[in-house]
Amino acid sequence: MKRLILLLVLLISSVVAWAEDDELLMARSSLEFPEAMAALQEAVAAHGYTISRVQRVDIGLTAMGYKTDKYRVVFVGKHEQQEMIIKKHPELIPYLPIKVAIFAEGDDTILVAANPLLLSEFFPDPALEKYFRRCENDMRSILVEVQEAE
Amino acid sequence: MVCHGEEGAGGVGVPLAMSSFLDNVDDDFLFKTIRHGRPGRVMPTFEYFSDAQINALVSYIRGWSDQPAPKFSQGRIQGNPDQGKKLFAERCSACHGETGEGGKGTGVTMSRPRDLPIIAPALNNEGFLAAASDELIRHTLMKGRKGTPMVSFLEAGLSEQQIDDIVAYVRSFEQAAERKPVLEAESASLIVESPYSFEETVENVKEIIAGKNFRLIREQYLDTGYVPEGQENKKQLILYFCNFSFLNMALSIDPRVGIFLPCRVTIVEQDGIVQVMAINPMRLSRIFNNVELNEACHEMRDVYTEILEDSTL
């Protein structure tokens, strides 16, 4: 029952949040890190994106003697679209590919991404806005899919 | 749910389900906290939620406890803030900071030991001051928070008058509380044109990065991973680098900073023009609502600027 109430509250909240263009997209998965990472890879591919690289932040930190839990940064994008964007807006290059940070939080896993729509605010152009709005929808779907994966 | 956990066990955010917290704050405090957030302290504002939505959230949170919600008056408690200031310095400042700025970091695994379920809140935060009534603060001082370093000041030997003095001093933070400055509008990308060839510029950037105590961790082309190896555009090169001490510090401020990681400079040649580029961390920082992180991003913006300028001198 509690879960149902929470889902209703979150549903109402998320509809509003969509309208408000929140800037940080986040999800919490009840899966442990390796499973959540696999779910993320699957969801990214299902939406037609490519993972161009995974940065293993925790490995570097641990090697340098720092204590950390599992932490990765996943770079995702669509090559053709990336090429199209930077042809017209090379100043966007430092922000591409898009990143998703994924890290363990106890037995859960947290995923965080900057809202892609933020980039159309940084670099105003109606064509870009259209692209990044689509991208935002995809990122939201990807995060929801990881959150709901069992 | 992402920050506080589905059952309120906490994580990035406060463990709301902890009975010594939930049974000692009223619904008004929860409502106003959701509405106003904690400016500059990770907890965002939810100004776009309707009252009904916030009330639904408060009811849901309240459901984690089988105790009835306490009710506190919204009136002011009379006390001597000057006396309170002395007591605050002796009894509170070690955890809450000299001027009530609170503990550092957020509540996540990497930023603090798990035996400390709550980071000392920023008592001088305008969101806290708007949400917490004098009586709630007084109640907290009298009872403490079991399971946290916050002890009962009554049991610690203070009189009720002395507790009222501390309340009056905490309330006086309202006069000093300033709205955190909104980050000024800056260009989202830092870009400098290089007078050198592409190859020379790459070598310059590498040298400057090393000179600033960063370790070059990887170089790759912008389209690596998208096109078959060997077919990349060799005139779009990314240099990834890291200062692990700085990284560790940034993650302890907010573990979600992965979207800044790793540090990166991109060197691009197009139509014979070589440019060196980086993100401007100051532009991204605002989405974290964290003053401490703003300072780190300010520092990183300066580092990027120096790398770009020094490598193209």
Side-chain angles (χ1 to χ4, degrees), chain B residues 8-313:
Chain B
V12 178
V14 168
L16 298 171
M18 189 173 68
S19 61
S20 65
F21 170 77
L22 193 51
D23 296 343
N24 291 292
V25 297
D26 56 3
D27 287 352
D28 187 66
F29 175 81
L30 293 175
F31 185 100
K32 288 177 176 166
T33 295
I34 295 168
R35 172 68 77 214
H36 303 300
R38 295 284 184 269
R41 293 278 294 182
V42 181
M43 173 71 187
T45 60
F46 288 93
E47 285 168 354
Y48 50 83
F49 275 12
S50 69
D51 286 359
Q53 286 173 320
I54 295 182
N55 280 325
L57 278 169
V58 170
S59 297
Y60 179 73
I61 292 166
R62 188 58 69 193
W64 287 326
S65 170
D66 52 10
Q67 298 296 311
K71 286 194 187 329
F72 297 121
S73 117
Q74 297 299 308
R76 288 295 158 94
I77 284 174
Q78 297 304 310
N80 182 334
D82 294 331
Q83 289 298 328
K85 185 177 183 178
K86 287 178 200 156
L87 290 164
F88 188 91
E90 288 166 14
R91 308 270 184 154
C92 314
S93 63
C95 295
H96 291 281
E98 281 179 30
T99 54
E101 67 270 23
K104 287 187 180 297
T106 59
V108 87
T109 317
M110 287 171 289
S111 65
R112 66 179 169 82
R114 296 305 280 179
D115 55 344
L116 295 178
I118 281 185
I119 283 174
L123 303 176
N124 68 359
N125 186 279
E126 65 195 75
F128 172 81
L129 292 166
S133 63
D134 282 7
E135 201 183 336
L136 183 147
I137 298 170
R138 185 177 198 268
H139 182 79
T140 306
L141 288 163
M142 304 267 273
K143 301 252 298 185
R145 289 250 192 275
K146 207 171 176 184
T148 79
M150 178 72 199
V151 296
S152 158
F153 278 27
L154 264 188
E155 288 173 13
L158 291 194
S159 68
E160 292 199 19
Q161 182 57 54
Q162 286 176 309
I163 287 174
D164 288 351
D165 292 344
I166 295 176
V167 174
Y169 177 61
V170 170
R171 183 56 63 195
S172 75
F173 290 146
E174 264 178 0
Q175 289 144 27
E178 292 172 15
R179 285 198 72 81
K180 305 295 178 204
V182 174
L183 297 177
E184 74 255 43
E186 294 188 8
S187 163
S189 294
L190 306 171
I191 301 175
V192 175
E193 197 174 314
S194 173
Y196 303 103
S197 71
F198 181 83
E199 290 73 16
E200 285 169 335
T201 306
V202 170
E203 289 312 308
N204 288 349
V205 174
K206 284 182 185 174
E207 199 177 308
I208 302 294
I209 285 171
K212 294 201 173 294
N213 282 329
F214 283 84
R215 179 180 290 197
L216 185 67
I217 55 173
R218 183 181 166 93
E219 53 185 287
Q220 68 163 75
Y221 302 108
L222 183 63
D223 50 7
T224 296
Y226 292 127
V227 298
E229 207 176 330
Q231 292 180 25
E232 301 95 340
N233 182 343
K234 306 282 193 299
K235 297 293 183 185
Q236 296 174 339
L237 184 73
I238 300 172
L239 299 178
Y240 288 113
F241 53 99
C242 187
N243 175 317
F244 288 94
S245 168
F246 189 84
L247 168 63
N248 192 54
M249 183 268 288
L251 284 170
S252 71
I253 294 173
D254 192 320
R256 300 169 298 171
V257 297
I259 61 171
F260 291 102
L261 303 177
C263 295
R264 159 184 169 178
V265 166
T266 311
I267 303 106
V268 176
E269 182 176 343
Q270 194 170 9
D271 303 326
I273 295 170
V274 178
Q275 289 182 314
V276 191
M277 307 174 168
I279 64 161
N280 183 347
M282 292 292 284
R283 283 301 291 271
L284 274 179
S285 183
R286 74 151 202 244
I287 66 179
F288 288 92
N289 185 38
N290 189 328
V291 171
E292 230 184 309
L293 189 63
N294 289 351
E295 287 163 13
C297 284
H298 194 284
E299 191 182 330
M300 205 53 224
R301 190 268 316 265
D302 290 348
V303 168
Y304 276 142
T305 304
E306 285 169 23
I307 291 172
L308 267 53
E309 288 178 351
D310 292 356
S311 62
T312 54
L313 265 179

Side-chain angles (χ1 to χ4, degrees), chain B residues 1-19:
Chain B
M1 185 176 87
V2 175
C3 293
H4 295 285
E6 190 176 330
E7 296 294 329
V12 178
V14 168
L16 298 171
M18 189 173 68
S19 61

Side-chain angles (χ1 to χ4, degrees), chain A residues 3 12 23 53 71 95 105, chain B residues 6 53 108 188 220 255 286:
Chain A
R3 201 180 167 90
I12 296 164
E23 297 174 328
R53 189 166 104 77
Y71 200 122
Y95 288 90
E105 165 58 32
Chain B
E6 190 176 330
Q53 286 173 320
V108 87
Q220 68 163 75
R286 74 151 202 244

